[in-house]
Amino acid sequence: MKIEIKNRWDNKVILCGEYENIKDCLEKNRGANLEGANLEGAYLEGANLEDANLKGANLEDANLEGAYLEGADLEDANLEGANLEGANLEGANLRGAKNYVSSHDFWLEIIRRQPIETFTEQEWAIIGQVFCYRLCWEAIKKRYGKKIMPIFEKLAKTGFKEWEEKYQEILKEAL
């Protein structure tokens, strides 16, 4: 099948050729500059994208379940609706990533990168339950109310403020 991967900003072709699928194309072109690539809705489950340059890429609704993204550059990437369940994000550049607010796996990776003493024992218990049970925003609000805010505030100080902003919106809606 003919695969074309285009830049999301100027629509120029980044990669083109005959491949089994997008995953096959990306794996056979490891090291290709995918900066700004439009990979919206791409099926990349289990793909090996180690050290891939996905800076500014549109990964909206992409299935990256179990993908190997170690060392990948996801700076300014759009992760809205992306499935990152079980993805290896170790060493990936996540600074400036956008629309990650609904990803438990992205949240856990950012938390893993913090020194253990960043969070209190009570906060660690909350973190564990949110991740283990993959609680939705409404369940988080019902269970923890404002007790979870310090976690979001600490993450915001490290440059990941979407969770704090989202939760503040949810709390305002309750008023």
Side-chain angles (χ1 to χ4, degrees):
M1 139 183 355
K2 184 176 180 178
I3 300 289
E4 271 191 358
I5 297 175
K6 295 181 178 183
N7 184 290
R8 70 188 278 204
W9 309 115
D10 60 16
N11 222 26
K12 288 183 181 174
V13 175
I14 295 173
L15 286 175
C16 180
E18 291 291 324
Y19 298 95
E20 194 174 313
N21 51 42
I22 291 175
K23 178 181 169 183
D24 181 48
C25 173
L26 295 177
E27 288 183 333
K28 287 184 175 167
N29 288 283
R30 273 193 64 202
N33 183 356
L34 299 167
E35 186 170 341
N38 186 2
L39 296 168
E40 182 177 350
Y43 181 82
L44 299 169
E45 184 175 336
N48 183 353
L49 300 171
E50 180 179 13
D51 298 324
N53 180 0
L54 293 164
K55 186 174 185 174
N58 181 13
L59 295 164
E60 183 177 346
D61 296 325
N63 182 359
L64 292 156
E65 183 176 343
Y68 189 71
L69 291 158
E70 185 172 335
D73 189 351
L74 292 165
E75 184 176 343
D76 296 323
N78 177 16
L79 299 174
E80 184 175 352
N83 178 3
L84 293 166
E85 188 172 342
N88 181 346
L89 296 167
E90 187 176 329
N93 179 9
L94 304 176
R95 287 260 171 230
K98 296 172 179 26
N99 303 314
Y100 52 78
V101 72
S102 296
S103 175
H104 287 86
D105 295 275
F106 191 91
W107 187 63
L108 189 60
E109 180 61 29
I110 299 306
I111 288 169
R112 270 192 206 126
R113 293 179 179 197
Q114 308 313 308
I116 198 163
E117 60 275 359
T118 301
F119 304 105
T120 66
E121 289 299 317
Q122 183 183 18
E123 291 167 347
W124 278 115
I126 292 170
I127 290 165
Q129 288 181 24
V130 169
F131 183 73
C132 183
Y133 297 108
R134 297 195 174 258
L135 299 176
C136 68
W137 287 109
E138 286 304 313
I140 290 169
K141 182 178 82 175
K142 185 177 179 181
R143 267 189 156 168
Y144 305 113
K146 292 184 179 181
K147 286 188 264 182
I148 197 168
M149 266 318 271
I151 297 170
F152 297 140
E153 290 166 354
K154 290 172 184 178
L155 296 176
K157 287 179 183 173
T158 68
F160 297 93
K161 60 184 179 177
E162 285 187 26
W163 295 295
E164 180 185 24
E165 291 170 350
K166 174 73 174 176
Y167 201 63
Q168 284 174 343
E169 285 176 28
I170 289 169
L171 291 175
K172 283 179 187 174
E173 290 171 5
L175 299 176

